[in-house]
Amino acid sequence: MGELPEHVAVNRAYWDAMAHEWVEGGARAWTQAEPTWGVWGVPEGELHLLPGDMTGMRAIELGCGTGYVSGWMARRGASVTGIDNSAEQLRTARRLSEQHGVALELIHGNAEAVPCADNSFDFAISEYGAAIWADPYEWIPEAHRLLRPGGILVFLGNHALVSVCSPLDGSYPIARRLERPYFGSHRLDWRDAVDDPGGIEFTLTFSEWIKLFRATGFEILDLTEIQAPADAVGSRSGISADWARDFPSEHVWTLRRRDRSSPG
Ligand SMILES: C[S@@+](CC[C@H](N)C(=O)[O-])C[C@H]1O[C@@H](n2cnc3c(N)ncnc32)[C@H](O)[C@@H]1O
């Protein structure tokens, strides 16, 4: 394996150090019969991110963390591969999958360069994995390569409003006014954030996302902007439930890999 890109090395060290804080939440999510999504726990019945029956499908989770999304897909009948950049997160995923008797193929690696053949999957997903921690100009084309023509990519991450309303010094809470530029927000380095210092994350403007999807060979099936439920309380990473009822804190893109023959 060659040298890791800087953000991948930084994020690997960050997640290996943080993994112990995600064990309890991961274990809880593994016990859920029905998926819930994102920081507000919106039920699958409202968002429909997974096919109801995945029997015979080959699925990959890009940045699988503790592996509960992979587990949900396996229980729906898919054969599932999860890739994650953190050996410590994968240690939890492996333990929980064994505890629940769910077979997963787990790979330690970077979702921007996955050691699997072209066209190997029918379905790819990322919930706060590659979706925010990997460079979209690298991982979106990689997801396209991994999917067969007609295959589906679903990913959930922070909405652009969260980054533009984040104070420049990385302090909490997320503001109700614009705090930083919308343009040029591709790479967000949170290592020196005042509250909850993190790693290196990525986002794009809406027009950049759409141009990237089209240039890569994806057709957009849907864009969902998640609103916090009426009964949500408290804060998640500096975003209050009140804020997230007034503004979308998360987006979900659903894309289909175009047939080679179909027009852009
Ligand atoms: C918040 S977790 C999301 C995964 C899962 N939904 C969960 O909550 O356990 C973020 C995960 O993305 C992984 N990650 C970060 N950069 C990655 C990359 N370049 N390739 C693969 N995984 C990556 C981290 O190691 C971490 O386990």
Side-chain angles (χ1 to χ4, degrees):
M1 189 178 66
E3 205 176 304
L4 294 174
E6 188 208 9
H7 64 276
V8 179
V10 166
N11 290 339
R12 178 168 290 185
Y14 172 76
W15 275 102
D16 279 344
M18 290 296 289
H20 65 280
E21 293 191 12
W22 292 74
V23 172
E24 197 182 316
R28 205 177 320 115
W30 264 96
T31 63
Q32 287 178 213
E34 263 303 284
T36 55
W37 298 103
V39 298
W40 307 108
V42 180
E44 168 65 6
E46 279 177 41
L47 291 182
H48 309 290
L49 302 195
L50 297 180
D53 182 3
M54 298 184 75
T55 306
M57 291 179 79
R58 300 157 303 165
I60 184 162
E61 185 181 2
L62 300 164
C64 64
T66 57
Y68 55 85
V69 175
S70 292
W72 295 334
M73 295 193 291
R75 287 175 180 145
R76 288 174 180 235
S79 63
V80 182
T81 299
I83 182 165
D84 200 279
N85 188 30
S86 159
E88 291 304 315
Q89 286 277 83
L90 285 177
R91 192 194 306 278
T92 306
R94 201 164 288 116
R95 183 176 61 72
L96 290 170
S97 65
E98 282 165 10
Q99 187 180 316
H100 288 271
V102 172
L104 301 176
E105 179 192 28
L106 295 171
I107 300 173
H108 184 216
N110 174 12
E112 299 168 353
V114 178
C116 295
D118 297 359
N119 307 321
S120 343
F121 297 98
D122 305 294
F123 189 84
I125 191 163
S126 173
E127 183 205 33
Y128 281 112
I132 66 165
W133 294 96
D135 186 338
Y137 290 109
E138 302 292 334
W139 81 266
I140 294 282
E142 185 64 346
H144 181 271
R145 182 188 71 76
L146 293 167
L147 287 168
R148 63 162 169 80
I152 300 293
L153 169 63
V154 175
F155 69 93
L156 182 158
N158 293 317
H159 194 279
L161 278 181
V162 170
S163 49
V164 293
C165 293
S166 295
L168 280 172
D169 63 359
S171 57
Y172 290 163
I174 304 301
R176 283 178 170 266
R177 57 171 186 267
L178 303 180
E179 295 276 342
R180 58 172 78 209
Y182 175 65
F183 295 116
S185 58
H186 172 215
R187 186 181 192 271
L188 298 165
D189 189 336
W190 299 108
R191 282 177 287 178
D192 294 326
V194 166
D195 289 312
D196 201 11
I200 299 171
E201 299 181 22
F202 295 87
T203 186
L204 293 178
T205 66
F206 280 98
S207 56
E208 287 168 339
W209 281 120
I210 290 167
K211 282 182 174 49
L212 173 60
F213 300 150
R214 288 175 59 87
T216 306
F218 279 115
E219 165 191 4
I220 299 169
L221 299 185
D222 203 5
L223 167 63
T224 300
E225 295 177 298
I226 296 183
Q227 182 180 26
D231 60 354
V233 290
S235 282
R236 311 283 187 283
S237 303
I239 305 169
S240 72
D242 283 342
W243 191 100
R245 265 188 291 273
D246 290 346
F247 309 105
S249 64
E250 297 171 316
H251 61 200
V252 185
W253 291 94
T254 304
L255 312 174
R256 178 161 53 209
R257 182 182 158 161
R258 278 202 306 268
D259 231 274
R260 271 184 209 88
S261 55
S262 64

